[in-house]
Amino acid sequence: MCGVVGIVSHSPVNQAIYDALTVLQHRGQDAAGIVTWGEDGLRQRKSNGLVRDVFRQRHMLRLSGNVGIGHIRYPTAGGSLAAEAQPFYVNSPYGICLGHNGNLTNYDELAELLAREDRRHLSTGSDSEVLLNVFAHELQNRVNGTPTPDQVWDAVEAVHERCKGGYAVVALIVGIGIVAFRDPNGIRPLVLGERASEKGPEYMVASESVALDVLQFERLRDVKPGETVFIENDGTLHTREHRSTTTHTPCIFEFVYFARPDSILDNLSVYKTRLRMGEQLAGKIVRDFPDHDIDVVIPIPDTSRTSAVQVAHHLGTKYREGFIKNRYIGRTFIMPGQAERAKSVRHKLNAIDLEFRGKNVLLVDDSIVRGTTSRQIIKLAREAGARKVYFASAAPPVRYPNVYGIDMPAASELIANGRSVEEIQELIGADRLIYQDLHGLIRSVRHDNSDIREFDTSCFSGEYVTGDVTDEYLDEVERRRNDSAKQQQEARHEGRAVVDAPHAKSTDTAVGM
């Protein structure tokens, strides 16, 4: 999962993009990048690390210009390599920079075609670089001079025909403007906003509406599935819908875990969906555990708080904060490596003994993915003196890989894959385990938007909305992208960097000048 932002303004955008990336930091903590365009040309800064660490004052001063895009990343396809920090750049045509949230399911086919037929060289294993080169090739084939909005739209339509999977994209075309688009299923989110200025309207696109809020952009609407948004450097806005019929199936896991609760995605309040998830979960607990002896409901901070409040309310039990969170530790789900996730739990959370000692506690979490965090947290609760530890998940069991941009590629790493609830309960050490039902989750999320008939629920249901995900594909993805494979890949690249590139490549550059 990643976060993207693009701004066309009448004043410098460097600080605005930085601020937007900081509020999207929850979507990725591996790398960050900003590219701007102005009178001084194309300016870039990107590197591994958090936004606050990647950008210093000297970098910000160099990022001049009124047009720019930004990206924060955690690795799905590819690895945690500095060379794979985004935005990516290609110099033909015009010079194009691109940031991407999602994952292409036909990466191998596209990479081969780009090399063999389009004569384009790829320097990384990132599907975002593939997507950039597909877009650049299709745009180059259609223009001879300054591209028209129709030509940009035709190029994006060709991208949709060639690229499969989930993706939300922002691209900066040097000297022209910004192009943003979303996959035809609308799996990955993208929001469009506008802000008035003395010189005319300014426009912004971002992965979540909270980024617009911080910069006082009015949220106009979500970018539609397959839609092209083209904002010229002078602030002229063009939008064109996808020429084919679309089935809007946004990723439901955005609402479960990834998105901030103060965001609105696809006209749905993330906060409200999590309240209703708590209501549905409470109903499930009453049905499955009618004679419960729960003394207190305690959330696993932070994502599950909203649901846990509703669970406690509907069960008629106390709600307490039993864990204190270290704000300087990253989200454990998106940390690379099982050992790193397990170690970070104790560094991240500390139990308040007073809330556990001698009590039967119900711990509520948004979901259980690998089970590492759940097992460690239950152990913390017992060490704090809990008599019994019950565990409830506001989402159904995660049994299947997610291939659309969420790092759940390996079925073997998912604790619920091939296991019953009772077996999972024993593995994580709970006295009782209760999961949300899938239909309850769907009902919670789509409550305020009846236009959405379906969601991408692939990690819960095993049903892949793009229709191109086979068992053979899943096996290959698991082989390449399990934790062990990622660590081996990074070790190989680090060793190669010592031999081939003893001097670190600068990522604070003037590009294409």
Side-chain angles (χ1 to χ4, degrees):
M1 186 63 59
C2 300
V4 297
V5 59
I7 300 176
V8 174
S9 178
H10 298 291
S11 59
V13 295
N14 52 355
Q15 187 64 50
I17 295 176
Y18 176 95
D19 292 341
L21 292 181
T22 60
V23 298
L24 295 175
Q25 187 76 83
H26 59 282
R27 301 186 65 87
Q29 299 162 11
D30 185 68
I34 295 176
V35 172
T36 59
W37 167 256
E39 294 180 355
D40 295 331
L42 195 65
R43 298 291 182 175
Q44 168 188 274
R45 168 65 183 172
K46 61 178 183 176
S47 184
N48 279 7
L50 300 175
V51 174
R52 68 183 183 218
D53 299 323
V54 170
F55 302 100
R56 301 295 185 183
Q57 184 177 10
R58 66 181 185 276
H59 306 130
M60 298 298 292
L61 291 173
R62 285 177 56 84
L63 291 168
S64 57
N66 297 349
V67 178
I69 63 175
H71 185 272
I72 52 99
R73 177 179 189 263
Y74 95 96
T76 51
S80 300
L81 307 173
E84 295 185 352
Q86 296 182 39
F88 283 119
Y89 171 79
V90 67
N91 64 6
S92 177
Y94 310 107
I96 301 176
C97 300
L98 180 142
H100 161 225
N101 170 33
N103 187 60
L104 301 183
T105 53
N106 62 337
Y107 166 85
D108 287 338
E109 174 189 348
L110 288 170
E112 181 182 348
L113 288 173
L114 281 169
R116 188 179 70 244
E117 297 183 8
D118 297 349
R119 299 291 189 257
R120 284 183 172 268
H121 172 71
L122 300 175
S123 57
T124 73
S126 172
D127 59 339
S128 302
E129 188 187 14
V130 165
L131 206 159
L132 165 62
N133 278 274
V134 170
F135 174 62
H137 176 79
E138 297 298 339
L139 187 62
Q140 188 169 23
N141 283 348
R142 286 165 173 78
V143 297
N144 184 16
T146 302
T148 66
D150 282 346
Q151 290 171 329
V152 172
W153 179 68
D154 284 340
V156 174
E157 288 294 300
V159 171
H160 291 326
E161 291 175 7
R162 295 181 65 178
C163 297
K164 307 299 179 185
Y167 48 90
V169 172
V170 292
L172 187 156
I173 306 176
V174 173
I176 307 296
I178 285 178
V179 179
F181 54 92
R182 193 177 180 190
D183 64 84
N185 290 98
I187 298 173
R188 302 267 65 87
L190 196 62
V191 185
L192 173 65
E194 180 181 4
R195 184 174 67 183
S197 76
E198 293 181 357
K199 297 182 179 180
E202 302 173 330
Y203 292 98
M204 176 177 178
V205 289
S207 293
E208 295 185 32
S209 66
V210 66
L212 278 62
D213 297 339
V214 166
L215 298 174
Q216 297 183 303
F217 277 78
E218 178 188 357
R219 176 182 167 274
L220 294 179
R221 59 180 175 84
D222 297 274
V223 177
K224 298 175 184 178
E227 182 181 17
T228 301
V229 174
F230 176 35
I231 312 164
E232 297 185 61
N233 283 346
D234 64 2
T236 304
L237 173 69
H238 309 272
T239 63
R240 291 287 294 273
E241 293 189 22
H242 187 38
R243 65 163 59 105
S244 302
T245 302
T246 58
T247 301
H248 192 185
T249 53
C251 174
I252 206 165
F253 208 75
E254 288 277 357
F255 299 91
V256 171
Y257 176 80
F258 271 104
R260 270 181 45 154
D262 46 344
S263 283
I264 296 175
L265 304 179
D266 291 309
N267 210 32
L268 294 166
S269 164
V270 176
Y271 178 74
K272 284 186 177 180
T273 64
R274 289 178 184 167
L275 284 175
R276 288 192 290 268
M277 286 163 59
E279 295 170 4
Q280 293 289 327
L281 181 58
K284 179 73 181 302
I285 292 169
V286 170
R287 291 192 301 273
D288 291 0
F289 197 10
D291 56 345
H292 73 79
D293 56 352
I294 299 167
D295 296 317
V296 61
V297 174
I298 295 176
I300 312 302
D302 287 313
T303 323
S304 64
R305 280 197 174 103
T306 312
S307 297
V309 167
Q310 290 297 87
V311 170
H313 174 74
H314 286 276
L315 292 182
T317 58
K318 294 178 181 179
Y319 170 90
R320 291 289 185 270
E321 292 284 342
F323 294 104
I324 300 301
K325 181 179 179 181
N326 182 346
R327 302 290 175 186
Y328 304 99
I329 300 292
R331 301 179 89 176
T332 53
F333 172 79
I334 63 178
M335 284 185 172
Q338 192 80 334
E340 187 67 21
R341 296 183 199 104
K343 183 178 69 173
S344 70
V345 172
R346 285 187 174 270
H347 295 171
K348 178 180 180 180
L349 296 177
N350 190 45
I352 301 174
D353 288 14
L354 177 66
E355 299 297 352
F356 291 92
R357 186 72 56 190
K359 298 177 183 178
N360 300 332
V361 300
L362 172 65
L363 303 181
V364 177
D365 208 349
D366 53 78
S367 59
I368 305 172
V369 180
R370 294 169 175 89
T372 309
T373 301
S374 305
R375 187 182 304 115
Q376 295 291 327
I377 288 174
I378 290 171
K379 188 176 180 182
L380 283 175
R382 293 197 188 281
E383 291 173 356
R387 185 188 303 119
K388 292 181 181 178
V389 182
Y390 306 123
F391 204 95
S393 168
V398 178
R399 301 189 186 279
Y400 305 95
N402 183 292
V403 298
Y404 299 129
I406 296 177
D407 195 21
M408 303 176 189
S412 61
E413 294 173 3
L414 305 175
I415 193 170
N417 182 260
R419 293 189 177 100
S420 67
V421 173
E422 292 74 19
E423 289 172 326
I424 303 167
Q425 175 181 307
E426 183 177 354
L427 280 172
I428 66 174
D431 291 295
R432 192 178 191 112
L433 174 61
I434 300 170
Y435 276 106
Q436 177 81 276
D437 291 326
L438 181 55
H439 69 269
L441 175 60
I442 293 172
R443 186 161 55 245
S444 300
V445 176
R446 73 176 291 264
H447 186 273
D448 289 332
N449 190 348
S450 58
D451 292 337
I452 299 177
R453 308 305 303 173
E454 301 176 48
F455 290 89
D456 166 48
T457 62
S458 54
C459 59
F460 306 121
S461 64
E463 298 174 2
Y464 296 91
V465 297
T466 54
D468 62 335
V469 178
T470 63
D471 290 340
E472 291 76 17
Y473 173 82
L474 293 176
D475 290 343
E476 180 62 18
V477 169
E478 175 159 0
R479 184 187 69 80
R480 291 183 182 181
R481 288 168 48 196
N482 61 53
D483 280 344
S484 176
K486 283 182 179 179
Q487 290 164 3
Q488 291 175 14
Q489 180 190 41
E490 290 181 24
R492 287 196 301 271
H493 279 271
E494 287 172 3
R496 190 177 306 145
V498 172
V499 176
D500 298 338
H503 302 291
K505 180 182 178 181
S506 172
T507 55
D508 181 15
T509 56
V511 184
M513 295 179 62

